[in-house]
Amino acid sequence: DLSVFAAFGIYIPRTAAEQAAAGTPVDLGSLQPGDLIFYSDGGTIGHVSIYIGNGQVVHASSPSTGIIVSDRSYRRSEERRVG
């Protein structure tokens, strides 16, 4: 649910690919808590996480594990940062 962002006046599209297209890229070294990190396999963006600081992200892992905290680079696929 994107209502947490909306509560702060931030409106973003629903899918990861749409969110990536709408955002502004930032350098990995400039990540701030709240920035979105997009992951792709073969060029298609299919997953997004929220950077929470200290090299960690929160994301929806799977239906069985739900929302979890992981290391920012938990996926070995391409990352694209968007603030």
Side-chain angles (χ1 to χ4, degrees):
D1 182 328
L2 302 175
S3 62
V4 172
F5 284 101
F8 292 94
I10 300 168
Y11 300 93
I12 59 176
R14 189 182 69 80
T15 69
E18 291 170 338
Q19 291 168 9
T24 302
V26 297
D27 290 332
L28 264 180
S30 299
L31 283 175
Q32 296 181 14
D35 284 347
L36 303 179
I37 300 176
F38 297 94
Y39 303 87
S40 66
D41 292 317
T44 301
I45 293 173
H47 189 68
V48 62
S49 65
I50 303 171
Y51 185 68
I52 59 172
N54 296 320
Q56 295 187 309
V57 297
V58 62
H59 64 103
S61 177
S62 71
S64 61
T65 59
I67 306 298
I68 62 171
V69 174
S70 299
D71 184 76
R72 187 202 79 216
S73 57
Y74 74 99
R75 285 190 166 196
R76 294 184 180 186
S77 59
E78 173 186 334
E79 294 177 318
R80 177 177 175 208
R81 284 75 47 202
V82 177

Coordinates of all heavy atoms in Angstrom, one line a residue:
D1 N 0.9 -1.2 0.0 CA 0.0 0.0 0.0 C 0.9 1.2 0.0 O 1.8 1.4 0.8 CB -0.9 -0.1 1.2 CG -1.9 1.1 1.3 OD1 -1.5 2.2 0.9 OD2 -3.0 0.9 1.9
L2 N 0.7 2.1 -0.9 CA 1.5 3.3 -1.0 C 1.0 4.5 -0.2 O 1.5 5.6 -0.3 CB 1.6 3.7 -2.5 CG 2.2 2.6 -3.4 CD1 2.2 3.0 -4.9 CD2 3.6 2.3 -3.0
S3 N 0.0 4.2 0.7 CA -0.6 5.3 1.5 C 0.4 5.9 2.5 O 0.2 7.1 2.8 CB -1.8 4.8 2.2 OG -1.5 3.8 3.1
V4 N 1.4 5.2 2.9 CA 2.5 5.8 3.8 C 3.1 6.9 3.0 O 3.3 8.0 3.6 CB 3.5 4.8 4.2 CG1 4.6 5.4 5.0 CG2 2.8 3.7 5.1
F5 N 3.5 6.7 1.8 CA 4.1 7.8 1.0 C 3.1 8.9 0.8 O 3.5 10.1 0.9 CB 4.6 7.3 -0.3 CG 5.9 6.5 -0.3 CD1 5.9 5.1 -0.3 CD2 7.1 7.1 -0.2 CE1 7.0 4.4 -0.2 CE2 8.3 6.4 -0.1 CZ 8.3 5.0 -0.1
A6 N 1.9 8.6 0.5 CA 0.9 9.6 0.2 C 0.6 10.5 1.4 O 0.4 11.7 1.3 CB -0.4 9.0 -0.2
A7 N 0.7 9.9 2.6 CA 0.6 10.7 3.9 C 1.6 11.8 4.0 O 1.3 12.8 4.7 CB 0.7 9.7 5.1
F8 N 2.7 11.7 3.3 CA 3.7 12.7 3.3 C 3.8 13.5 2.0 O 4.8 14.2 1.7 CB 5.1 12.0 3.6 CG 5.2 11.5 5.0 CD1 4.9 10.1 5.2 CD2 5.6 12.3 6.0 CE1 5.0 9.6 6.5 CE2 5.7 11.8 7.3 CZ 5.4 10.5 7.6
G9 N 2.7 13.4 1.2 CA 2.6 14.2 0.0 C 3.5 13.6 -1.1 O 3.7 14.3 -2.1
I10 N 3.9 12.3 -1.1 CA 4.7 11.7 -2.1 C 3.8 10.7 -2.8 O 3.3 9.8 -2.2 CB 5.9 11.0 -1.5 CG1 6.8 12.0 -0.8 CG2 6.7 10.3 -2.6 CD1 7.9 11.4 0.1
Y11 N 3.6 10.9 -4.1 CA 2.7 10.0 -4.9 C 3.5 9.3 -5.9 O 4.2 9.9 -6.7 CB 1.6 10.8 -5.5 CG 0.7 11.5 -4.5 CD1 1.0 12.8 -4.1 CD2 -0.3 10.8 -3.8 CE1 0.3 13.4 -3.1 CE2 -1.0 11.4 -2.8 CZ -0.7 12.7 -2.5 OH -1.5 13.3 -1.5
I12 N 3.5 7.9 -5.8 CA 4.3 7.1 -6.7 C 3.4 6.1 -7.4 O 2.4 5.7 -6.8 CB 5.5 6.5 -6.0 CG1 5.0 5.6 -4.9 CG2 6.5 7.5 -5.5 CD1 6.2 4.8 -4.2
P13 N 3.8 5.7 -8.6 CA 3.0 4.6 -9.3 C 3.0 3.3 -8.6 O 3.8 3.1 -7.6 CB 3.7 4.5 -10.7 CG 4.5 5.7 -10.8 CD 4.8 6.2 -9.4
R14 N 2.1 2.4 -9.0 CA 2.0 1.1 -8.3 C 3.1 0.1 -8.5 O 3.6 -0.5 -7.6 CB 0.6 0.5 -8.6 CG 0.3 -0.7 -7.8 CD -1.0 -1.4 -8.2 NE -1.0 -2.0 -9.5 CZ -0.5 -3.2 -9.7 NH1 0.0 -3.9 -8.8 NH2 -0.5 -3.7 -10.9
T15 N 3.5 -0.1 -9.8 CA 4.5 -1.1 -10.1 C 5.9 -0.7 -10.0 O 6.2 0.5 -10.2 CB 4.2 -1.7 -11.5 OG1 4.6 -0.7 -12.5 CG2 2.8 -2.2 -11.7
A16 N 6.8 -1.6 -9.8 CA 8.2 -1.3 -9.7 C 8.8 -0.6 -10.9 O 9.5 0.4 -10.9 CB 9.1 -2.5 -9.4
A17 N 8.4 -1.1 -12.1 CA 8.9 -0.5 -13.4 C 8.3 0.9 -13.5 O 9.1 1.8 -13.9 CB 8.4 -1.4 -14.5
E18 N 7.1 1.2 -13.2 CA 6.5 2.5 -13.3 C 7.2 3.5 -12.3 O 7.4 4.6 -12.6 CB 5.0 2.5 -13.0 CG 4.2 1.8 -14.1 CD 2.7 1.5 -13.7 OE1 2.4 1.5 -12.5 OE2 1.9 1.4 -14.6
Q19 N 7.5 3.0 -11.1 CA 8.1 3.8 -10.1 C 9.5 4.2 -10.5 O 9.9 5.3 -10.4 CB 8.2 3.0 -8.7 CG 6.9 2.8 -8.1 CD 6.9 1.8 -6.9 OE1 8.0 1.4 -6.5 NE2 5.8 1.4 -6.4
A20 N 10.2 3.2 -11.1 CA 11.6 3.5 -11.6 C 11.6 4.6 -12.7 O 12.4 5.5 -12.7 CB 12.3 2.3 -12.1
A21 N 10.6 4.5 -13.6 CA 10.5 5.5 -14.7 C 10.1 6.9 -14.1 O 10.5 7.9 -14.8 CB 9.5 5.0 -15.7
A22 N 9.4 6.9 -13.0 CA 9.0 8.2 -12.5 C 10.0 8.9 -11.6 O 9.9 10.1 -11.3 CB 7.7 8.0 -11.8
G23 N 11.0 8.1 -11.1 CA 11.9 8.7 -10.1 C 13.1 9.4 -10.7 O 13.3 9.5 -11.9
T24 N 13.9 9.9 -9.8 CA 15.2 10.5 -10.1 C 16.4 9.7 -9.7 O 16.5 9.4 -8.5 CB 15.3 11.9 -9.4 OG1 14.1 12.7 -9.8 CG2 16.6 12.6 -9.8
P25 N 17.2 9.2 -10.6 CA 18.4 8.4 -10.2 C 19.3 9.1 -9.2 O 19.5 10.3 -9.3 CB 19.1 8.0 -11.5 CG 18.0 8.2 -12.5 CD 17.2 9.4 -12.0
V26 N 19.9 8.4 -8.2 CA 20.9 8.9 -7.3 C 22.0 7.9 -7.3 O 21.8 6.7 -7.5 CB 20.3 9.2 -5.9 CG1 19.2 10.2 -6.0 CG2 19.8 7.9 -5.3
D27 N 23.2 8.3 -6.9 CA 24.3 7.4 -6.7 C 24.2 6.6 -5.5 O 23.6 7.0 -4.5 CB 25.6 8.3 -6.5 CG 26.1 9.0 -7.8 OD1 25.8 8.5 -8.9 OD2 26.7 10.0 -7.6
L28 N 24.7 5.4 -5.5 CA 24.7 4.5 -4.4 C 25.3 5.2 -3.1 O 24.7 5.0 -2.0 CB 25.5 3.2 -4.6 CG 24.8 2.0 -5.1 CD1 25.8 0.9 -5.3 CD2 23.7 1.6 -4.1
G29 N 26.3 5.9 -3.3 CA 26.9 6.6 -2.1 C 26.1 7.7 -1.6 O 26.4 8.2 -0.5
S30 N 25.1 8.1 -2.3 CA 24.2 9.2 -1.8 C 22.8 8.7 -1.3 O 22.0 9.5 -1.1 CB 24.0 10.2 -3.0 OG 25.2 10.7 -3.4
L31 N 22.7 7.4 -1.2 CA 21.4 6.9 -0.7 C 21.0 7.4 0.7 O 21.9 7.6 1.5 CB 21.4 5.3 -0.6 CG 21.4 4.5 -1.9 CD1 21.6 3.1 -1.6 CD2 20.0 4.8 -2.6
Q32 N 19.8 7.8 0.8 CA 19.2 8.2 2.1 C 18.0 7.4 2.4 O 17.3 6.8 1.5 CB 18.8 9.7 2.0 CG 19.9 10.6 1.7 CD 19.4 12.1 1.6 OE1 18.3 12.4 2.0 NE2 20.3 12.9 1.1
P33 N 17.7 7.2 3.7 CA 16.6 6.4 4.1 C 15.3 7.0 3.4 O 15.1 8.2 3.3 CB 16.5 6.7 5.6 CG 17.9 6.9 6.0 CD 18.5 7.7 4.9
G34 N 14.5 6.0 2.8 CA 13.3 6.3 2.1 C 13.6 6.2 0.6 O 12.6 6.2 -0.2
D35 N 14.8 6.2 0.1 CA 15.1 6.1 -1.3 C 14.7 4.7 -1.7 O 14.8 3.7 -1.0 CB 16.6 6.3 -1.6 CG 17.0 7.7 -1.6 OD1 16.1 8.6 -1.6 OD2 18.2 8.0 -1.7
L36 N 14.2 4.5 -3.0 CA 13.8 3.3 -3.5 C 15.0 2.7 -4.3 O 15.7 3.4 -5.0 CB 12.6 3.4 -4.4 CG 11.4 4.1 -3.8 CD1 10.3 4.2 -4.8 CD2 10.9 3.3 -2.6
I37 N 15.2 1.4 -4.2 CA 16.2 0.6 -5.0 C 15.5 -0.4 -5.8 O 14.7 -1.2 -5.3 CB 17.2 -0.1 -4.1 CG1 17.9 1.0 -3.2 CG2 18.2 -0.8 -4.9 CD1 18.9 0.3 -2.2
F38 N 15.7 -0.4 -7.1 CA 15.1 -1.2 -8.1 C 16.0 -2.3 -8.5 O 17.2 -2.1 -8.7 CB 14.6 -0.4 -9.3 CG 13.5 0.6 -8.9 CD1 13.9 1.9 -8.6 CD2 12.2 0.3 -8.7 CE1 13.0 2.8 -8.2 CE2 11.3 1.2 -8.3 CZ 11.7 2.5 -8.0
Y39 N 15.4 -3.5 -8.7 CA 16.2 -4.7 -9.1 C 15.7 -5.2 -10.4 O 14.4 -5.3 -10.6 CB 16.1 -5.8 -8.0 CG 16.6 -5.3 -6.7 CD1 15.7 -4.6 -5.8 CD2 17.9 -5.4 -6.3 CE1 16.2 -4.2 -4.5 CE2 18.4 -5.0 -5.0 CZ 17.5 -4.4 -4.2 OH 17.9 -3.9 -3.0
S40 N 16.6 -5.6 -11.3 CA 16.1 -6.1 -12.6 C 16.9 -7.4 -12.9 O 18.0 -7.7 -12.4 CB 16.4 -5.1 -13.7 OG 17.8 -4.9 -13.9
D41 N 16.2 -8.3 -13.6 CA 16.8 -9.5 -14.2 C 16.7 -9.4 -15.7 O 15.6 -9.5 -16.2 CB 16.0 -10.7 -13.7 CG 16.2 -10.9 -12.2 OD1 17.4 -10.8 -11.7 OD2 15.3 -11.2 -11.5
G42 N 17.8 -9.2 -16.3 CA 17.8 -9.2 -17.8 C 17.3 -7.9 -18.3 O 16.7 -7.8 -19.4
G43 N 17.3 -6.8 -17.5 CA 16.9 -5.5 -18.0 C 15.5 -5.1 -17.6 O 15.1 -4.0 -17.7
T44 N 14.6 -6.0 -17.2 CA 13.3 -5.7 -16.8 C 13.2 -5.5 -15.3 O 13.6 -6.5 -14.5 CB 12.3 -6.9 -17.2 OG1 12.4 -7.0 -18.6 CG2 10.9 -6.5 -16.8
I45 N 12.8 -4.4 -14.8 CA 12.6 -4.1 -13.4 C 11.4 -4.9 -12.9 O 10.3 -4.7 -13.4 CB 12.5 -2.6 -13.1 CG1 13.8 -1.9 -13.5 CG2 12.2 -2.4 -11.7 CD1 13.8 -0.4 -13.5
G46 N 11.7 -5.7 -11.8 CA 10.6 -6.5 -11.3 C 10.5 -6.5 -9.8 O 9.6 -7.1 -9.2
H47 N 11.4 -5.7 -9.1 CA 11.3 -5.7 -7.7 C 11.8 -4.4 -7.1 O 12.7 -3.8 -7.8 CB 12.2 -6.9 -7.1 CG 12.0 -7.1 -5.6 ND1 10.9 -7.5 -5.1 CD2 12.9 -6.9 -4.6 CE1 11.0 -7.6 -3.7 NE2 12.3 -7.2 -3.5
V48 N 11.3 -3.9 -6.0 CA 11.7 -2.7 -5.4 C 11.9 -2.8 -3.9 O 11.1 -3.6 -3.3 CB 10.7 -1.5 -5.8 CG1 9.4 -1.8 -5.2 CG2 11.2 -0.2 -5.3
S49 N 12.8 -2.2 -3.3 CA 13.0 -2.1 -1.9 C 13.1 -0.7 -1.4 O 13.4 0.2 -2.2 CB 14.2 -3.0 -1.4 OG 15.4 -2.4 -1.9
I50 N 12.9 -0.5 -0.1 CA 13.1 0.9 0.4 C 14.3 0.9 1.3 O 14.5 0.0 2.2 CB 11.9 1.3 1.3 CG1 10.6 1.2 0.5 CG2 12.0 2.7 1.9 CD1 9.3 1.3 1.3
Y51 N 15.2 1.8 1.0 CA 16.5 1.9 1.8 C 16.2 2.5 3.1 O 15.4 3.5 3.3 CB 17.5 2.8 1.0 CG 18.8 2.9 1.7 CD1 19.6 1.7 1.7 CD2 19.3 4.0 2.3 CE1 20.9 1.8 2.4 CE2 20.5 4.1 2.9 CZ 21.3 2.9 3.0 OH 22.5 3.0 3.6
I52 N 16.7 1.8 4.2 CA 16.4 2.3 5.6 C 17.6 2.7 6.3 O 17.6 3.1 7.5 CB 15.6 1.2 6.4 CG1 16.4 -0.1 6.5 CG2 14.2 0.9 5.8 CD1 15.8 -1.1 7.4
G53 N 18.8 2.7 5.6 CA 20.0 3.2 6.2 C 20.9 2.0 6.6 O 20.5 0.9 6.6
N54 N 22.2 2.4 6.9 CA 23.2 1.4 7.3 C 23.3 0.2 6.3 O 23.5 -1.0 6.8 CB 22.9 0.9 8.7 CG 23.0 2.0 9.7 OD1 23.9 2.9 9.6 ND2 22.1 2.1 10.6
G55 N 23.1 0.4 5.0 CA 23.2 -0.7 4.1 C 22.1 -1.6 4.0 O 22.2 -2.7 3.4
Q56 N 20.9 -1.3 4.7 CA 19.8 -2.2 4.7 C 18.6 -1.7 4.0 O 18.4 -0.5 3.9 CB 19.4 -2.5 6.2 CG 20.5 -3.3 6.9 CD 20.1 -3.7 8.3 OE1 19.6 -2.8 9.1 NE2 20.2 -4.9 8.6
V57 N 17.7 -2.6 3.6 CA 16.5 -2.3 2.9 C 15.4 -3.1 3.5 O 15.6 -4.1 4.1 CB 16.5 -2.6 1.4 CG1 17.6 -1.8 0.7 CG2 16.8 -4.1 1.1
V58 N 14.2 -2.6 3.3 CA 13.0 -3.4 3.7 C 12.2 -3.7 2.4 O 12.2 -2.8 1.5 CB 12.1 -2.6 4.7 CG1 11.6 -1.3 4.2 CG2 11.0 -3.5 5.2
H59 N 11.7 -4.9 2.3 CA 11.0 -5.3 1.0 C 10.1 -6.5 1.3 O 10.2 -7.2 2.3 CB 12.1 -5.6 -0.1 CG 12.9 -6.8 0.3 ND1 12.7 -8.0 -0.3 CD2 14.0 -6.9 1.1 CE1 13.6 -8.9 0.2 NE2 14.4 -8.2 1.1
A60 N 9.2 -6.7 0.3 CA 8.3 -7.9 0.3 C 9.1 -9.0 -0.3 O 9.3 -9.0 -1.5 CB 7.1 -7.6 -0.4
S61 N 9.5 -9.9 0.6 CA 10.4 -11.0 0.1 C 9.6 -12.1 -0.7 O 9.9 -12.4 -1.8 CB 11.0 -11.7 1.3 OG 11.8 -12.8 0.9
S62 N 8.6 -12.7 -0.1 CA 7.7 -13.7 -0.7 C 6.5 -13.8 0.1 O 6.4 -13.3 1.3 CB 8.5 -15.0 -0.7 OG 8.5 -15.6 0.6
P63 N 5.4 -14.5 -0.4 CA 4.2 -14.6 0.4 C 4.4 -15.4 1.7 O 3.8 -15.1 2.7 CB 3.3 -15.4 -0.5 CG 3.8 -15.1 -1.9 CD 5.3 -14.9 -1.8
S64 N 5.4 -16.3 1.7 CA 5.6 -17.0 3.0 C 6.4 -16.3 4.0 O 6.2 -16.4 5.2 CB 6.3 -18.4 2.6 OG 7.6 -18.2 2.0
T65 N 7.4 -15.4 3.6 CA 8.2 -14.7 4.5 C 7.7 -13.3 4.8 O 8.0 -12.7 5.8 CB 9.7 -14.6 4.1 OG1 9.7 -14.0 2.8 CG2 10.3 -16.0 4.1
G66 N 6.9 -12.7 3.9 CA 6.4 -11.4 4.0 C 7.4 -10.3 3.9 O 8.4 -10.4 3.2
I67 N 7.2 -9.2 4.7 CA 8.0 -8.0 4.7 C 9.2 -8.3 5.6 O 9.1 -8.7 6.7 CB 7.3 -6.8 5.2 CG1 6.0 -6.6 4.4 CG2 8.2 -5.6 5.1 CD1 6.2 -6.3 2.9
I68 N 10.4 -8.1 5.0 CA 11.7 -8.4 5.8 C 12.7 -7.3 5.6 O 12.6 -6.5 4.6 CB 12.3 -9.8 5.5 CG1 12.7 -9.8 4.0 CG2 11.3 -10.9 5.8 CD1 13.5 -11.1 3.7
V69 N 13.7 -7.3 6.4 CA 14.9 -6.4 6.3 C 16.0 -7.2 5.8 O 16.3 -8.3 6.3 CB 15.2 -5.8 7.6 CG1 16.5 -5.0 7.5 CG2 14.1 -4.9 8.1
S70 N 16.7 -6.7 4.7 CA 17.8 -7.4 4.1 C 19.0 -6.4 3.9 O 18.8 -5.2 3.9 CB 17.4 -8.0 2.8 OG 16.4 -9.0 2.9
D71 N 20.2 -7.0 3.6 CA 21.3 -6.2 3.2 C 20.9 -5.6 1.8 O 20.2 -6.3 1.0 CB 22.5 -7.1 3.0 CG 23.7 -6.3 2.6 OD1 24.3 -5.6 3.5 OD2 24.1 -6.3 1.5
R72 N 21.3 -4.4 1.5 CA 21.0 -3.7 0.3 C 21.3 -4.5 -0.9 O 20.6 -4.5 -1.9 CB 21.7 -2.4 0.2 CG 21.3 -1.5 -1.0 CD 22.3 -0.5 -1.4 NE 23.4 -1.2 -2.1 CZ 24.6 -0.9 -2.1 NH1 25.1 0.0 -1.3 NH2 25.5 -1.6 -2.8
S73 N 22.4 -5.3 -0.9 CA 22.8 -6.0 -2.1 C 22.4 -7.5 -2.0 O 23.1 -8.4 -2.5 CB 24.3 -5.9 -2.3 OG 25.0 -6.3 -1.2
Y74 N 21.2 -7.8 -1.4 CA 20.8 -9.2 -1.2 C 20.5 -9.9 -2.6 O 20.6 -11.1 -2.6 CB 19.6 -9.3 -0.3 CG 18.3 -8.8 -0.9 CD1 17.4 -9.8 -1.4 CD2 18.0 -7.5 -1.0 CE1 16.2 -9.4 -2.0 CE2 16.8 -7.1 -1.6 CZ 15.9 -8.0 -2.1 OH 14.8 -7.6 -2.7
R75 N 20.2 -9.1 -3.6 CA 20.1 -9.7 -4.9 C 21.3 -9.4 -5.7 O 21.8 -8.3 -5.7 CB 18.8 -9.1 -5.6 CG 17.5 -9.6 -5.1 CD 16.4 -9.1 -6.0 NE 15.2 -9.9 -5.7 CZ 14.2 -9.9 -6.5 NH1 14.2 -9.3 -7.6 NH2 13.1 -10.6 -6.1
R76 N 21.7 -10.3 -6.5 CA 22.9 -10.1 -7.3 C 22.6 -9.5 -8.7 O 23.5 -9.4 -9.5 CB 23.7 -11.4 -7.5 CG 24.2 -11.9 -6.2 CD 25.0 -13.2 -6.3 NE 25.4 -13.5 -5.0 CZ 26.2 -14.5 -4.7 NH1 26.7 -15.2 -5.7 NH2 26.6 -14.8 -3.5
S77 N 21.4 -9.2 -8.9 CA 21.0 -8.6 -10.2 C 21.3 -7.1 -10.1 O 21.7 -6.5 -9.1 CB 19.5 -8.8 -10.5 OG 18.7 -8.3 -9.5
E78 N 21.1 -6.4 -11.2 CA 21.4 -5.0 -11.4 C 20.5 -4.2 -10.4 O 19.4 -4.5 -10.2 CB 21.0 -4.6 -12.8 CG 21.1 -3.2 -13.1 CD 20.6 -2.8 -14.5 OE1 20.7 -3.7 -15.4 OE2 20.2 -1.7 -14.7
E79 N 21.1 -3.2 -9.9 CA 20.4 -2.2 -9.0 C 20.3 -0.9 -9.7 O 21.2 -0.5 -10.3 CB 21.1 -2.0 -7.7 CG 21.2 -3.2 -6.8 CD 22.0 -2.9 -5.5 OE1 23.1 -2.2 -5.6 OE2 21.6 -3.3 -4.5
R80 N 19.2 -0.2 -9.5 CA 19.1 1.1 -10.0 C 18.5 1.9 -8.8 O 17.4 1.6 -8.3 CB 18.1 1.2 -11.2 CG 17.9 2.6 -11.6 CD 17.0 2.7 -12.9 NE 16.7 4.0 -13.2 CZ 15.7 4.4 -13.8 NH1 14.7 3.6 -14.2 NH2 15.5 5.7 -14.1
R81 N 19.1 3.0 -8.4 CA 18.7 3.8 -7.3 C 17.9 4.9 -7.7 O 18.2 5.6 -8.7 CB 19.9 4.3 -6.5 CG 20.6 3.4 -5.7 CD 21.5 2.4 -6.4 NE 22.4 3.0 -7.4 CZ 22.9 2.3 -8.4 NH1 22.6 1.1 -8.6 NH2 23.6 2.9 -9.3
V82 N 16.8 5.2 -7.0 CA 16.0 6.3 -7.3 C 15.6 7.0 -6.0 O 15.1 6.3 -5.1 CB 14.7 5.9 -8.1 CG1 13.8 7.1 -8.3 CG2 15.1 5.3 -9.4
G83 N 15.7 8.3 -5.9 CA 15.4 9.0 -4.7 C 13.9 9.4 -4.6 O 13.2 9.3 -5.6

